[in-house]
Amino acid sequence: MAVVPYKDDTAGKKSQVAHMFNSIAGKYDFLNHFLSAGTDIYWRRKAVSELKQLRPARILDIATGTADFAIETLRAAAPDAKVTGVDISEGMLDVGRRKLEAKGLSNRIKLELGDSENLPFADNEFDAVTASFGVRNFENLEKGLTEMRRVLRPGGKLVVLEFSKPTAFPLKQAYNFYFRQILPVFGKLISKDNSAYTYLPESVQAFPDGPDFLAILRKVGFTSPAWQPLTFGISSIYTAQK
C-alpha cells in the first residue's frame, strides 16, 4: 500500500502530494534549513558537484519545488546553460518564480507545472536530469525514472539526491527518534499542516534506498549506477548514465 500524506483522503498519492506541497509552500524553504540545521545546503552542493565534469548546457530538474536545486545546478553547468524545472505543485513553483526573479535568473531557469511521470519533453532532450528529495514522492517510481531516462540524451547523466536510512548504531536510533518524534512536532507547528511532516519520515522509511534503488535504476535501463551516502547515511546521492 502506498504511503500518502492524508490517510483519510481517497485521492491518489500524486494528488495528495500536490495538495500537501501547496499547503506548506510558503514555509518549505525555512523548514528545510531549520529541520536539517542547514545541512540541506551542503547536500545540494555536493550533489551538483557530480555535474562539473559534464558541464551540461540543458538541464531538467524534476520535482523542482522552490527551485533551490535548479539554481544550484548553474554552479556546475555550461556558461550559457538553460535549466527547466518541473513540479506538480503550483504553490511551490510560485515561490520558486519569485526567488528566480529576485536573483535575476528568470532568463536562465524556467519553471513549469508538470507530472514527472508524464514529461512533456522530447526524447534525448537534456544533457542532465536531476531530482532533489522528490523521487520518493512519485506515485509510480519506475515510471518516473523511465521518463527521466527517456528525456536524457545518450551519454547524459542522472543525479538524484534523496533521504536514506542510517544503519549504524547509535545513529540509526537517534535518527529514528528525531524523524518520528521531533521533526513532525516542529513541522506541524510551523507549517500548520498536520500531515506533511508525519508523511516525511513515513515516505523515507518506505523508499527503496541504497542498493535497492541502484537495482531499480538498472531495471529501467540506466547504466553505471552509483551510490554515495552523505552525513552517515541520512541522505544519499545516486548517479547513473544513459
Side-chain angles (χ1 to χ4, degrees):
M1 184 176 177
V3 173
V4 294
Y6 308 106
K7 294 174 180 58
D8 295 331
D9 193 333
T10 57
K13 180 175 181 178
K14 200 174 298 182
S15 175
Q16 289 197 36
V17 166
H19 174 74
M20 179 190 74
F21 281 113
N22 283 336
S23 76
I24 66 172
K27 300 289 178 64
Y28 179 80
D29 285 341
F30 170 77
L31 279 164
N32 254 6
H33 305 327
F34 175 74
L35 294 172
S36 72
T39 313
D40 63 304
I41 298 170
Y42 159 74
W43 290 337
R44 275 191 288 273
R45 289 184 178 171
K46 187 76 173 172
V48 164
S49 69
E50 295 290 335
L51 296 175
K52 282 184 176 177
Q53 190 172 356
L54 182 64
R55 287 287 172 189
R58 300 165 301 163
I59 301 170
L60 176 64
D61 187 42
I62 297 289
T64 195
T66 62
D68 274 353
F69 200 80
I71 293 167
E72 197 67 37
T73 61
L74 293 176
R75 291 175 178 266
D80 60 345
K82 299 289 185 182
V83 183
T84 302
V86 172
D87 202 280
I88 60 172
S89 167
E90 189 62 62
M92 297 283 277
L93 293 173
D94 284 344
V95 174
R97 290 184 187 110
R98 292 197 294 272
K99 190 183 298 181
L100 295 177
E101 192 171 338
K103 292 177 177 289
L105 293 173
S106 298
N107 62 325
R108 298 195 65 191
I109 301 175
K110 177 177 65 173
L111 303 184
E112 298 182 8
L113 187 68
D115 180 358
S116 303
E117 296 170 31
N118 295 281
L119 293 170
F121 307 110
D123 295 358
N124 310 317
E125 189 168 336
F126 297 96
D127 303 314
V129 177
T130 63
S132 172
F133 305 116
V135 297
R136 77 178 188 286
N137 296 319
F138 287 179
E139 193 163 65
N140 185 323
L141 179 59
E142 289 187 16
K143 186 176 180 183
L145 293 173
T146 298
E147 274 290 89
M148 291 161 79
R149 183 183 180 277
R150 178 183 67 79
V151 301
L152 191 63
R153 68 163 172 80
K157 190 167 188 178
L158 173 76
V159 178
V160 172
L161 175 63
E162 189 52 88
F163 285 115
S164 48
K165 301 178 284 288
T167 56
F169 177 86
L171 186 66
K172 175 183 177 180
Q173 287 70 19
Y175 167 87
N176 287 337
F177 177 78
Y178 175 75
F179 240 42
R180 293 171 182 170
Q181 306 298 328
I182 306 298
L183 183 145
V185 173
F186 281 101
K188 176 182 175 181
L189 189 68
I190 297 168
S191 74
K192 309 303 182 187
D193 187 301
N194 293 349
S195 300
Y197 288 87
T198 302
Y199 165 75
L200 173 58
E202 290 175 348
S203 65
V204 172
Q205 195 63 38
F207 183 72
D209 61 346
D212 292 336
F213 189 64
L214 296 184
I216 296 172
L217 290 175
R218 291 188 193 95
K219 181 180 178 182
V220 301
F222 282 102
T223 61
S224 306
W227 167 39
Q228 181 183 354
L230 300 175
T231 316
F232 308 105
I234 293 174
S235 71
S236 292
I237 298 170
Y238 303 95
T239 58
Q241 290 184 310
K242 178 175 178 178

